[in-house]
Amino acid sequence: MELYNLKHPSQVVNFSQAVQLGLGKDRGLFFPKSIPVLDNVDALLEMPFAERSKQVLGAWLADELGQAAVDALVDKAFTFPAPLVDVDHHRGCLELFHGPTLAFKDFGARFMAQCVNLLAGDQGLTILTATSGDTGAAVADAFYGLDKVQVVVMYPKGKISELQEKMFTTLGKNIHTVAVHSDFDACQHLVKQAFDDPEVREGLALNSANSINISRLLAQICYYFEAIAQAKKAGHNNFVVSVPSGNFGNLTAGLFAKAMGLPINRFIAATNANDTVPRYLENGTWAPHDTVATMSNAMDVSEPSNWPRVEAICEQMGWPLSLISGLALNELQTSESLLNLYNLGYQSEPHAAIAAQGLRQLLTKDEYGIFLGTAHPAKFKDVVDRELKLDLPLPPELEEVVNKTILSVELNADFAMLKAHLFKMLR
């Protein structure tokens, strides 16, 4: 597998190099020179999830890693289901929250951790990542206890739910957490500054576990195949997928799946008030606003890092951007969608509710819509309880962290402070 840097196309790497580097020169994203097209999609859709995933990922990686290695990576990473649950006769939710940290990012983080563990040299490396909620828990759980890897997770202080926070800030050992007094975009900017600083990048052997890392994106392709497999078995066709979107890694993976031959007609990019992409799709002007805090806080992102990959896929495949419909909801509309789902007998959370509303507004009569359930409702217990007047019980994964102590260091959004902290902590 060959990938090139979208900012500097002359920089070409293989998968192993892309995984270990994370980002290319000038923070450029790595993008595949070619996208493998599967000629046996119908047969693959009849296979169990893990066995199918081995074939899907093998189409990308077997030439470099060997199919046996790909099979082993999948066996270690994909150990939980992703059920498609009908909400009404037009829509179903692909529940991606049945992994160890109750969020869709378990798929990508666990696969990446296995890749890094396979490919890391003797000197080891440092994962530096920013999270708006679920990435932190998924990455921390996936890398916890690995001898060759130190993990540093930054997050916006006070802008993620306490339960989300406790899932990754209470572990210790090789998991280090930094609460930044700012928003997610500031955390992400600090990560980019660290990668731009040769002393930090090379001295700490930096890597990133955000969806900018190609290994995470490839893993996420697999559950789109699982969604369509289940939908077809249930007798549905003419598929539209609505993706709750923050950093746009999830949508990128869906587009890769379609490019491989998966029969998805179109996509909906559903956002909250941080609506840079829906506005761009409507008027062609890329104009990020200041990030706004919302109840769907994992999508509080105004400058999504993966958007260049979205455009690169469409360009490579000859698709118009109109393949993607943009939709943005305000807080009242999000609350109304949550209540609508609840009245239909489906208990959800704000991110999935936004995606569900995208289908409710934009789906045609002859289409079946799939929206992604990216987190367990209890991860947003305070919001769900408030909006639906409930008292959600906590699943065991959350119950066990409720009384644990947060181990984070608090810092201002200042790169010099972060740099000093990293070297003090990791050297």
Side-chain angles (χ1 to χ4, degrees):
M1 179 182 182
E2 282 194 322
L3 306 100
Y4 67 95
N5 182 338
L6 286 174
K7 287 188 175 180
H8 296 276
S10 62
Q11 184 185 13
V12 177
V13 297
N14 62 22
F15 174 75
S16 300
Q17 292 167 324
V19 169
Q20 294 177 77
L21 289 171
L23 285 167
K25 182 181 177 183
D26 290 337
R27 304 196 303 267
L29 299 173
F30 289 120
F31 189 81
K33 279 192 168 184
S34 63
I35 299 171
V37 178
L38 301 169
D39 57 9
N40 59 340
V41 171
D42 288 340
L44 286 173
L45 294 178
E46 295 296 323
M47 299 173 69
F49 176 45
E51 295 308 307
R52 182 194 317 114
S53 297
K54 293 172 183 177
Q55 299 304 308
V56 171
L57 291 170
W60 295 88
L61 302 176
D63 284 352
E64 181 176 335
L65 302 182
Q67 187 62 50
V70 175
D71 293 352
L73 292 171
V74 171
D75 282 337
K76 291 177 181 176
F78 296 171
T79 58
F80 42 89
L84 179 65
V85 179
D86 275 331
V87 171
D88 54 34
H89 64 287
H90 285 299
R91 299 176 298 169
C93 180
L94 183 68
E95 294 187 345
L96 300 173
F97 48 75
H98 294 279
T101 71
L102 309 177
F104 79 100
K105 294 182 179 180
D106 282 326
F107 289 95
R110 286 168 65 87
F111 185 74
M112 180 188 173
Q114 296 304 319
C115 289
V116 168
N117 202 44
L118 174 68
L119 301 171
D122 292 336
Q123 71 171 14
L125 53 82
T126 300
I127 298 290
L128 176 64
T129 193
T131 184
S132 56
D134 291 327
T135 293
V139 168
D141 178 82
F143 284 92
Y144 181 64
L146 294 183
D147 293 338
K148 296 180 180 180
V149 185
Q150 296 293 317
V151 176
V152 181
V153 182
M154 294 189 295
Y155 64 98
K157 175 66 177 175
K159 293 179 179 170
I160 66 174
S161 76
E162 185 177 356
L163 287 173
Q164 278 182 312
E165 184 179 15
K166 286 198 170 185
M167 287 198 83
F168 65 92
T169 62
T170 59
L171 294 171
K173 290 190 177 179
N174 64 322
I175 308 299
H176 315 278
T177 53
V178 179
V180 178
H181 292 283
S182 191
D183 56 26
F184 172 75
D185 288 321
C187 296
Q188 192 159 251
H189 183 63
L190 288 170
V191 170
K192 292 176 179 178
Q193 286 180 288
F195 276 90
D196 279 345
D197 187 314
E199 186 179 3
V200 178
R201 185 181 65 245
E202 296 164 15
L204 299 178
L206 281 192
N207 201 324
S208 176
N210 282 66
S211 53
I212 54 176
N213 194 294
I214 194 66
S215 60
R216 272 192 50 186
L217 288 180
L218 295 187
Q220 291 173 251
I221 292 170
C222 297
Y223 53 66
Y224 283 91
F225 278 83
E226 178 68 2
I228 300 304
Q230 292 183 51
K232 276 184 164 290
K233 287 176 184 176
H236 301 299
N237 52 48
N238 296 326
F239 303 111
V240 177
V241 179
S242 184
V243 184
S245 299
N247 218 20
F248 279 78
N250 230 340
L251 180 61
T252 302
L255 289 167
F256 275 138
K258 177 176 172 61
M260 295 182 77
L262 191 64
I264 298 174
N265 291 349
R266 60 191 182 90
F267 294 87
I268 298 170
T271 75
N272 55 29
N274 298 287
D275 60 349
T276 302
V277 167
R279 286 185 289 108
Y280 175 68
L281 291 171
E282 181 178 358
N283 60 33
T285 300
W286 187 263
H289 295 161
D290 290 341
T291 303
V292 177
T294 73
M295 70 174 80
S296 52
N297 57 45
M299 305 193 313
D300 290 352
V301 183
S302 293
E303 299 189 52
S305 296
N306 274 293
W307 187 254
R309 282 182 173 138
V310 171
E311 295 200 328
I313 297 171
C314 290
E315 181 179 353
Q316 187 172 125
M317 300 302 298
W319 296 335
L321 278 179
S322 57
L323 173 72
I324 307 163
S325 301
L327 174 134
L329 297 191
N330 60 33
E331 295 291 84
L332 177 60
Q333 292 167 325
T334 301
S335 180
E336 289 172 346
S337 183
L338 259 179
L339 183 59
N340 173 261
L341 290 171
Y342 187 67
N343 288 337
L344 289 170
Y346 188 76
Q347 187 172 284
S348 190
E349 50 76 40
H351 307 77
I354 290 174
Q357 184 63 18
L359 293 172
R360 193 178 182 204
Q361 291 184 204
L362 301 176
L363 204 64
T364 64
K365 291 182 179 179
D366 63 340
E367 294 175 321
Y368 182 76
I370 298 169
F371 64 96
L372 303 191
T374 51
H376 192 290
K379 291 196 80 172
F380 298 91
K381 175 177 168 58
D382 53 345
V383 172
V384 175
D385 283 356
R386 182 189 72 224
E387 298 299 320
L388 299 180
K389 298 177 173 57
L390 300 175
D391 184 11
L392 286 181
L394 293 179
E397 294 88 346
L398 292 174
E399 187 71 50
E400 68 180 29
V401 303
V402 167
N403 295 317
K404 288 188 176 181
T405 301
I406 291 172
L407 304 175
S408 300
V409 171
E410 295 186 21
L411 293 177
N412 293 327
D414 179 276
F415 178 65
M417 292 178 64
L418 174 65
K419 181 176 178 177
H421 176 67
L422 290 176
F423 278 103
K424 179 181 178 181
M425 177 175 59
L426 299 175
R427 274 191 168 179

